Amino acid sequence: MSADNPYIPFTAEIMKVTDETPDIKTFEINITDPDWNHKPGQFLELSLLGAGECPISISSAPIQLPTLDLSIKRAGIVTEAVHQLYPGEVVGVRGPYGRPFPMEEWRSKNLLIIGGGIGLAPLRPIIQQALCQRELYGDLTILYGARSPADLVFKEELKEWEGAPGTDVYLTVDKGGGEWDGHVGFVPAYLEELGPSPENTVAVTCGPPIMIRFVLKALEKMNFTPEQIITTLEMKMQCGVGLCGRCGLGDKYICIDGPVFSYAEILKLSPDLSALK
Amino acid sequence: MKIIPENKLADLINKWRSDARHVIGPKNVHGDIVFETLEKDEQPCLDFLNTALPPKEFLFPMRETILNFVPKEDEWTPFTNLNEGNIVLFGIRACDVTGINLFLDQLFLSDPPDPYYGARRKSAAIVVLACEEPDEYCFCPSCNSGPALATGFDLQLIHIGDEYLVQIGSPAGERLLNGLQLETPSMDQVGLKNYVIDECRKKCRKVELEGVEEIIKDLWEDEIWKEVSNYCIRCGGCNFVCPTCYCFDMNDRVVSSGHSQRMRTWDSCLLRGFTRMAGGVISRDDKFTRLRQRFYHKLLFWKEKWGGPHACTGCGRCSRVCPGFIDFGEVVEKIKSRAGHADT
C-alpha cells in the first residue's frame, strides 16, 4: 500500500484457483509486499482492471503468507470478472483493513464457529490459526451449513478439521439429496438441537443476515451473553478507509470500526442494524 | 484590516492572475450564480445572495479520476495525477467556508488523509465575501457559520458602502495583498462593518439546533420519517447542494484496450442504489429509511463520530432546491415537537 495514497493497489499474482461450489471459487494470490501482515477477520480491497474494486474477506490465516486465499462468490461486477481469471493472471489488492477478531482474548477458551454459505470464508482463518496453535485454545466446534451439499465450501478441509484434535465438525444443508446422508435443516435450528454450553466459550458467526439474526437469538436462548457472541458484518463497504460514507452505521463505519463486532457492540450500535437485534 | 474601494477589486483579481493563480469566483451564467474560473479580464459577479452550489467541487470534484491503470509489459501500474496548481476561491460565503473548514477538512484530512482533497486544499486560498442580505431559507447565525466569520479564512471582504473592508486571516492572506497600497479603515468604517453584519444576522431565520441530537435519538421508529418522506422524490438534490455532504462512489471506466481509470463521483444517501451490494441487496430500500439516514447523520451521527457542531452550516440550499418542499428547519421543528413523545 502506498504510504501517501490509500487508494493505490499493488499487484498480486494468482497462484491457484479452486472451484468450491458452482458459484464460489478460492483464489490463492501471492503477496510480494514483505510488510504485509493481516489478522483473522480482516479484509482487503480487490481490484480488477476496468471492472472495479470490492471488499473481500481474507479466508486464510497469516501463517499461509506469502500467499493468501480469497474465497469469492460470484455476485456482482467485480466478482463476476474475477471468476474469469486463471493462475498467472494479476489482480490488484490494497489492505489489510478492518478490525480483526480479538483472538488474543480467546486464549484457553472454547471456540464455537457457526458459518453459513460463503460466511465460512472469514471464519476459516480463525479455525486454521487455532489448529496451528492448538494448545492455546480449548475445544473447537464448527457448525457449518449451506443451501445444498454442492454449496458447501472447503469440502476437503472440512474433512481434515473433523479429524483434528479436540475438534468437532457439524455440517447441515437446507435441502439434502444425492449422496448426502448428513443432517438436513437450517443452521440456527441445528445449533439449538446441538445445544452447546456457553461455559468458557466464545461463539463466532458469519453467514447470510437472516441466518445471523436467528443464530444470535438461538445463542441468547442458550444463555450466551452478548459479549460472548462475535460476528462480522461484511456489507456495504467500498473505499475501505472510512471516507466514502457508504458503510456508515450510526457514528461507526463497518470498514474501520468493524467488520468484526461483538453482539454487545451491535446492540449499542446504530438502530440501523435493527434487523439483527 | 484594510480598505479596498469597489473599483480597485479588479486590480486585486488581476494581480492574483498575474501571480499565476487560478482565480475561481461567482459568475452569472444565464441567471444562475455559479462558481467558475474567472478567465483573463473577467470579473466576478458580486450582487448575489448565494451560489447555486457551494464551491466544494473545486476541492472535491463531482467526478474525478483518482487512478489510471496503464499496462506496462505484462503488469499494470497505477498512477495518479494530482492537480496542484494554486487557486484562489474568491467570494465564498461564510456558510460554505464553514462547510470546508469544519466538515470536509475534518473528514478528508484526518487519518488516512485523502491525497486528492489534500493537494487541492493546500493550494487553495479562501477569500470570503460576507453576506449583506439573507433570503428566507438562510439560518447561518443559528449554526455559528455566518454572515461573516471570525477565523478560518485567508481574506474576508465585507461590503460597506462603496468600499470593502478587508480582514486578513492568515499569512497567506497577507501575501494575497502584497504590493498593493491599501488604507487602514477608520473607526467609522469598522463600526459600519459591524452594523452591516448585525443587520444581516438579525434578518436571518432562526433554527435552533441545540439539543436536537438528544431528541432525535429516540425517534428512530417515529412516524415522522414516513410523513416527511412522502414529499421526497429521491432526487438527491439536498445532498448535492450541501456544503457538508461528502459521500462518494468509485467506479472503473475503460478508456481503451488495457487503459482504464478509476473514477470517484459524488453520491447521495437518498438514492436507492447508495446501499446496493453485490447480489442486489439494498439495506436502505424504503425511501423513509434513506431520508432518516440523512437527518440522523446531519443531526446526530456526525456529532457522535467527530464531536463539534451538527453537520449543517445553515446555508439553506437543501430547502431551496427540494422539489417536495421538504424544509430542513421545519423538519428540525418537527423533531423538537416530538420531544418526550417518542413511540419507542
Side-chain angles (χ1 to χ4, degrees), chain B residues 157-335:
Chain B
L157 275 57
I158 299 132
H159 196 208
I160 48 168
D162 298 336
E163 290 152 323
Y164 287 94
L165 189 140
V166 184
Q167 291 176 303
I168 302 160
S170 71
E174 195 102 40
R175 285 194 293 278
L176 288 175
L177 299 180
N178 271 356
L180 288 165
Q181 298 302 317
L182 299 175
E183 308 260 316
T184 303
S186 67
M187 289 304 283
D188 282 353
Q189 286 170 315
V190 174
L192 189 53
K193 174 208 80 163
N194 293 339
Y195 174 79
V196 167
I197 295 168
D198 276 349
E199 283 305 298
C200 180
R201 181 180 287 121
K202 279 187 218 157
K203 287 184 209 163
C204 283
R205 173 186 186 189
K206 285 181 184 54
V207 176
E208 188 53 70
L209 292 173
E210 203 184 319
V212 71
E213 68 279 7
E214 289 303 323
I215 302 167
I216 200 174
K217 267 181 189 164
D218 297 324
L219 301 181
W220 190 257
E221 303 290 344
D222 201 278
E223 284 302 308
I224 184 174
W225 309 115
K226 281 184 185 152
E227 283 167 24
V228 176
S229 71
N230 279 336
Y231 299 91
C232 171
I233 64 162
R234 60 191 201 188
C235 66
C238 50
N239 294 119
F240 294 122
V241 300
C242 179
T244 76
C245 273
Y246 57 83
C247 288
F248 60 83
D249 192 12
M250 295 199 294
N251 278 300
D252 280 18
R253 178 173 95 94
V254 176
V255 180
S256 62
S257 173
H259 176 202
S260 57
Q261 295 180 323
R262 181 149 298 156
M263 313 295 296
R264 161 158 88 180
T265 51
W266 289 2
D267 207 344
S268 155
C269 59
L270 264 308
L271 302 182
R272 188 161 169 264
F274 185 72
T275 57
R276 182 183 289 123
M277 288 174 268
V281 178
I282 296 176
S283 60
R284 287 195 283 269
D285 201 5
D286 279 328
K287 187 172 64 177
F288 84 90
T289 64
R290 301 196 291 274
L291 181 114
R292 180 173 66 183
Q293 170 68 19
R294 174 169 161 83
F295 281 95
Y296 264 75
H297 193 231
K298 296 292 178 211
L299 299 174
L300 177 67
F301 297 155
W302 173 275
K303 209 173 161 66
E304 282 184 325
K305 181 168 176 66
W306 299 106
H310 302 90
C312 174
T313 69
C315 75
R317 285 191 185 87
C318 55
S319 304
R320 228 170 267 132
V321 302
C322 182
F325 305 105
I326 297 173
D327 173 67
F328 194 87
E330 273 177 33
V331 176
V332 168
E333 286 312 314
K334 257 182 199 287
I335 291 167

Side-chain angles (χ1 to χ4, degrees), chain A residues 4-9 11 47-50 52-53 75 92 235-236 238 241 243-244 246 250-251 253 271-272, chain B residues 67 69 76 80 107 112 114 116 220 246-250 252 260 262 264 267 274 277 279 283-284 301 304-305:
Chain A
D4 52 0
N5 190 328
Y7 303 105
I8 298 184
T11 53
S47 269
L48 230 71
L49 185 62
E53 192 174 45
M235 52 205 258
K236 296 201 294 180
Q238 192 179 65
V241 291
L243 291 172
C244 78
R246 312 183 80 82
D251 63 331
Y253 286 131
D272 212 0
Chain B
L67 297 172
F69 300 101
W76 45 268
T80 56
L107 181 89
D114 183 274
Y116 310 94
W220 190 257
Y246 57 83
C247 288
F248 60 83
D249 192 12
M250 295 199 294
D252 280 18
S260 57
R262 181 149 298 156
R264 161 158 88 180
D267 207 344
F274 185 72
M277 288 174 268
S283 60
R284 287 195 283 269
F301 297 155
E304 282 184 325
K305 181 168 176 66

